[in-house]
Amino acid sequence: METLNQAIEDARGRYLSANPLSMAADKSAERYLPGGNTRTVLHYEPFPLTMVAGEGAELVDLDGHRYVDFVGEYSAGLFGHSDERIKAAVREAMEGGISMGAPTTYERKLAELLCLRFPGIDQVRFCNSGTEANIWALTTARLLTGRSKYLAFRGAYHGGVIKFPHGACPLNIPFDFVLANYNNTRGTKEIIRRWGHQLAAVIVEPILGAGGNIPGNKAFMEMLRQVTEETGTLLIFDEIKTARIGPAGTQGLLGIKPDLTTLGKFIGGGLTSGAFGGSAEVMAHYNPKLKGNWNHAGTFNNNVCSMAAGCAAMGEIYTPQRATDFFEQSEGFRLSLNEMFAAKEVPMYANGMGSIIAIHFSSKPTKKPSDITAGCQSLRPLLHMEMLLEGVLICSRGDFFLSLPMTESHLSRARDALEKFVDRYKQLILGVLEA
Ligand SMILES: Cc1ncc(COP(=O)(O)O)c(C=O)c1O
């Protein structure tokens, strides 16, 4: 029987033959970009596809293949690649003047849209990325509490310099983090109580994203709220991805009000963006009209293109009703995948919630990062290659992010490609997982 390595080699061989222009582009980019790359997550073996055009939920690569785009810019691509309302908003903003170095009407409008939407945000400040938003939120917590330790979770991703894939990462900013295990209610409660009065903040992704799109269970999230209140620690919800879940993010869904919320990804309509917000009392520290205020800087915090695109995105397109409908449609798709895997008796599972999905090689939902086996990880490159070869673009780690322009036919294409994968490799998958 074919081994996993042989299957991956074979798939990569077919990929190589199908993509000579992407291969050449990758090679030539190595001269001025290390490894031809300026964002590590976009690299995969043998080389990544170079994209040249996007339309709706589809992308076209240099060799002329058309894909249904489930990478969805790792969730920032909620609006797809060519929404006319976003394009018109950006055009209008640019016509009005780029980089004005002054307040504009756009950030005021976008701030209102976000504050009316998310229960934990009375007031908001903008920045340029999710990483930045989290650095600001953590710093805010430190200044508010006078404490300098933080609690985060193993497997969490809060930005390029705040990530804990296998514990702390050498690239991280030198903030003092204590780590706990995601969805471990009892253990985490003990840790928070033990460090209690030294902890400035607990920062949590309501769905552990890069760690496998693992939803935080309700009891765990409620415990975080309760125990942080006991110890005077701030609770930060990193909703940079999950704000797209339903009309008010996961905080709306769970009925939990965090002290600080961070946003990013899609709130700028697909353009560079980030934001952090909380109660009016907390955010008043950033009020420049008050004595002793904290100086929140950032040349491009209110850049007109992102702010205008964000206004169209959050005001006209992703209305609360659209967010509700999209959640139901996406959850229906996710459940249909799990029905298909179950019917085929293959150990695969579409983890996640709504439009945030990751395929795991397991017959059960993944509830914590340590549920992810070495076998599961070793099968991912094969799934990735085969999906690309079927014209279904997914993240190399197995994530699928749905976008608003996706139609039933896009979703069927992904389901059919997964079904074909199962039919071809079921025995191999069983063998790898049993080994
Ligand atoms: C949950 C979460 N937090 C923070 C970030 C960092 O956002 P950015 O890449 O905009 O810095 C990401 C990005 O993937 C994320 O998924």
Side-chain angles (χ1 to χ4, degrees), residues 141-220:
R142 176 169 56 82
L143 294 185
L144 273 174
T145 59
R147 307 170 183 174
S148 55
K149 267 194 197 309
Y150 303 102
L151 185 130
F153 293 94
R154 293 189 179 88
Y157 185 89
H158 299 293
V161 290
I162 325 168
K163 57 189 179 212
F164 308 94
H166 315 284
C169 169
L171 288 169
N172 280 359
I173 44 173
F175 284 14
D176 188 3
F177 281 100
V178 176
L179 296 181
N181 291 329
Y182 196 76
N183 271 343
N184 179 340
T185 306
R186 231 179 62 196
T188 305
K189 190 196 279 187
E190 277 170 22
I191 294 175
I192 299 176
R193 286 203 172 130
R194 185 176 337 136
W195 292 103
H197 300 288
Q198 294 183 50
L199 282 180
V202 171
I203 184 165
V204 64
E205 292 168 271
I207 298 176
L208 194 75
N213 288 341
I214 303 171
N217 73 55
K218 196 163 170 26
F220 173 72

Side-chain angles (χ1 to χ4, degrees), residues 39 74-75 128-132 134 157-160 205 207 209 238 240-241 264-265 273:
R39 183 178 173 201
Y74 286 79
S75 82
N128 293 281
S129 71
T131 306
E132 234 190 280
N134 282 327
Y157 185 89
H158 299 293
E205 292 168 271
I207 298 176
D238 176 343
I240 283 161
K241 274 187 181 135
K265 301 281 191 196
S273 65

Side-chain angles (χ1 to χ4, degrees), residues 284-316:
H285 287 282
Y286 290 103
N287 180 348
K289 294 167 187 164
L290 298 179
K291 231 177 153 178
N293 68 81
W294 301 336
N295 181 331
H296 164 233
T299 301
F300 293 114
N301 284 354
N302 66 338
N303 78 86
V304 290
C305 291
S306 300
M307 295 294 115
C311 290
M314 299 303 291
E316 292 174 47

Side-chain angles (χ1 to χ4, degrees), residues 18-331:
N19 296 292
L21 297 180
S22 273
M23 183 165 72
D26 180 66
K27 190 84 205 129
S28 70
E30 287 173 5
R31 174 71 183 87
Y32 296 112
L33 291 166
N37 177 278
T38 185
R39 183 178 173 201
T40 307
V41 77
L42 300 185
H43 175 73
Y44 48 82
E45 294 295 332
F47 53 84
L49 297 169
T50 297
M51 293 300 168
V52 292
E55 190 188 351
E58 299 182 7
L59 282 173
V60 177
D61 72 11
L62 206 51
D63 290 275
H65 309 115
R66 186 171 273 270
Y67 298 85
V68 186
D69 177 17
F70 283 90
V71 169
E73 183 51 310
Y74 286 79
S75 82
L78 177 63
F79 304 93
H81 301 286
S82 52
D83 191 291
E84 287 305 328
R85 290 159 292 187
I86 292 179
K87 282 163 55 176
V90 174
R91 248 183 250 119
E92 189 186 309
M94 289 177 73
E95 296 294 330
I98 307 170
S99 289
M100 291 194 264
T104 73
T105 52
Y106 297 117
E107 71 261 24
R108 290 164 174 169
K109 175 72 190 156
L110 183 56
E112 180 184 351
L113 288 166
L114 297 178
C115 293
L116 292 179
R117 189 105 166 209
F118 299 102
I121 308 183
D122 293 338
Q123 292 196 329
V124 70
R125 278 264 171 161
F126 292 107
C127 51
N128 293 281
S129 71
T131 306
E132 234 190 280
N134 282 327
I135 292 172
W136 281 113
L138 292 166
T139 302
T140 303
R142 176 169 56 82
L143 294 185
L144 273 174
T145 59
R147 307 170 183 174
S148 55
K149 267 194 197 309
Y150 303 102
L151 185 130
F153 293 94
R154 293 189 179 88
Y157 185 89
H158 299 293
V161 290
I162 325 168
K163 57 189 179 212
F164 308 94
H166 315 284
C169 169
L171 288 169
N172 280 359
I173 44 173
F175 284 14
D176 188 3
F177 281 100
V178 176
L179 296 181
N181 291 329
Y182 196 76
N183 271 343
N184 179 340
T185 306
R186 231 179 62 196
T188 305
K189 190 196 279 187
E190 277 170 22
I191 294 175
I192 299 176
R193 286 203 172 130
R194 185 176 337 136
W195 292 103
H197 300 288
Q198 294 183 50
L199 282 180
V202 171
I203 184 165
V204 64
E205 292 168 271
I207 298 176
L208 194 75
N213 288 341
I214 303 171
N217 73 55
K218 196 163 170 26
F220 173 72
M221 299 297 285
E222 283 174 346
M223 175 279 295
L224 293 181
R225 180 62 288 180
Q226 186 209 326
V227 183
T228 48
E229 271 170 4
E230 280 172 25
T231 58
T233 301
L234 269 72
L235 181 60
I236 304 173
F237 271 18
D238 176 343
E239 293 243 46
I240 283 161
K241 274 187 181 135
T242 58
R244 59 156 55 196
I245 297 285
T250 53
Q251 54 191 264
L253 206 68
L254 293 165
I256 298 174
K257 201 166 160 179
D259 299 298
L260 290 165
T261 300
T262 52
L263 302 171
K265 301 281 191 196
F266 70 95
I267 61 157
L271 278 75
T272 310
S273 65
F276 65 102
S279 68
E281 192 189 344
V282 167
M283 296 306 287
H285 287 282
Y286 290 103
N287 180 348
K289 294 167 187 164
L290 298 179
K291 231 177 153 178
N293 68 81
W294 301 336
N295 181 331
H296 164 233
T299 301
F300 293 114
N301 284 354
N302 66 338
N303 78 86
V304 290
C305 291
S306 300
M307 295 294 115
C311 290
M314 299 303 291
E316 292 174 47
I317 307 170
Y318 206 50
T319 58
Q321 186 58 52
R322 184 76 178 92
T324 303
D325 297 344
F326 183 58
F327 180 69
E328 280 169 18
Q329 178 202 11
S330 309
E331 194 60 358

